[in-house]
Amino acid sequence: MNRVWRLLRSLKLRVVGSEKLQVGVDHFGNKYYRIPKHETWAGHTIQERRFMEAVDIKEHEYEVGNIPTEWEAWIRKRRQDPPTIEEILKNEKYREVLKSKVDECYEKDRLLQAKEYEEGLVAEPAQIKIKGHAAAQHYERHEPSEDPVSTANTFQPGSWKPPQDHERKK
């Protein structure tokens, strides 16, 4: 009898599709679903699957941060229960407070560095412009020369420029 139920369940899954259960919605409007653990007609166990259907973006346009971290933790099975709206809003406020504190610390540090530069306690960082690699044969040369300067073993692309048309023999 058990095999008959498995067969009927597998036929239902093939005809209707997997039974996805909506678990929640975030404040962006994304919908979150889960497909519970089930067995196939052959007796194989299919583990629970969790996924999201985005509202405004396609799958290939997804970027990190498009969904709340609490929902992402639920999708990746780092947490058992789906997050609540209150939990998400509480964490959003906490992140805003933390960001404002980081901005304050950054501003205090910038002012302290400026004061130390004025007093001469700390040297200002040097602005260095790197123009190439020192090991290259054409280091600090502005234009390639017309004379061949390399052999087959040490050839550098762009190190030789062919002569102009008027200098060629016709």
Side-chain angles (χ1 to χ4, degrees):
M1 192 70 175
N2 194 12
R3 287 184 178 208
V4 172
W5 286 114
R6 281 190 209 163
L7 183 62
L8 290 174
R9 180 174 167 78
S10 68
L11 286 173
K12 178 186 159 201
L13 287 174
R14 286 185 181 244
V15 173
V16 177
S18 57
E19 49 184 275
K20 63 180 184 180
L21 305 170
Q22 184 172 350
V23 177
V25 178
D26 65 12
H27 56 281
F28 297 123
N30 301 323
K31 296 178 184 176
Y32 297 88
Y33 297 95
R34 70 183 273 272
I35 298 175
K37 181 178 175 179
H38 61 279
E39 286 188 13
T40 64
W41 66 273
H44 298 288
T45 302
I46 308 290
Q47 295 297 323
E48 177 187 49
R49 191 169 151 234
R50 300 174 180 181
F51 59 96
M52 171 191 89
E53 286 183 359
V55 175
D56 295 332
I57 58 173
K58 307 249 187 296
E59 285 183 24
H60 65 277
E61 295 173 345
Y62 171 79
E63 292 181 13
V64 175
N66 283 354
I67 63 173
T69 55
E70 296 82 10
W71 278 109
E72 190 163 355
W74 179 79
I75 287 175
R76 296 179 188 275
K77 298 181 182 177
R78 293 186 191 133
R79 62 182 293 163
Q80 285 297 104
D81 300 323
T84 62
I85 295 290
E86 295 82 22
E87 180 185 358
I88 293 172
L89 293 176
K90 178 183 149 196
N91 289 341
E92 286 284 327
K93 287 180 185 175
Y94 174 74
R95 284 187 205 103
E96 289 174 9
V97 168
L98 189 62
K99 186 178 180 199
S100 66
K101 287 181 180 180
V102 167
D103 290 342
E104 288 175 16
C105 288
Y106 177 76
E107 186 63 26
K108 285 180 185 177
D109 187 50
R110 193 184 63 76
L111 293 172
L112 181 63
Q113 283 181 357
K115 180 181 174 188
E116 289 175 347
Y117 291 149
E118 289 175 7
E119 293 176 359
L121 298 174
V122 177
E124 291 190 33
Q127 299 295 328
I128 300 173
K129 187 173 182 181
I130 300 172
K131 293 185 177 183
H133 193 273
Q137 290 183 358
H138 52 81
Y139 180 67
E140 288 194 6
R141 287 187 190 168
H142 298 292
E143 289 186 23
S145 68
E146 291 183 0
D147 300 324
V149 293
S150 64
T151 63
N153 294 335
T154 61
F155 176 73
Q156 292 287 326
S159 62
W160 178 73
K161 186 169 119 181
Q164 299 295 330
D165 286 338
H166 66 276
E167 296 176 6
R168 289 186 186 173
K169 294 180 182 177
K170 294 187 179 182

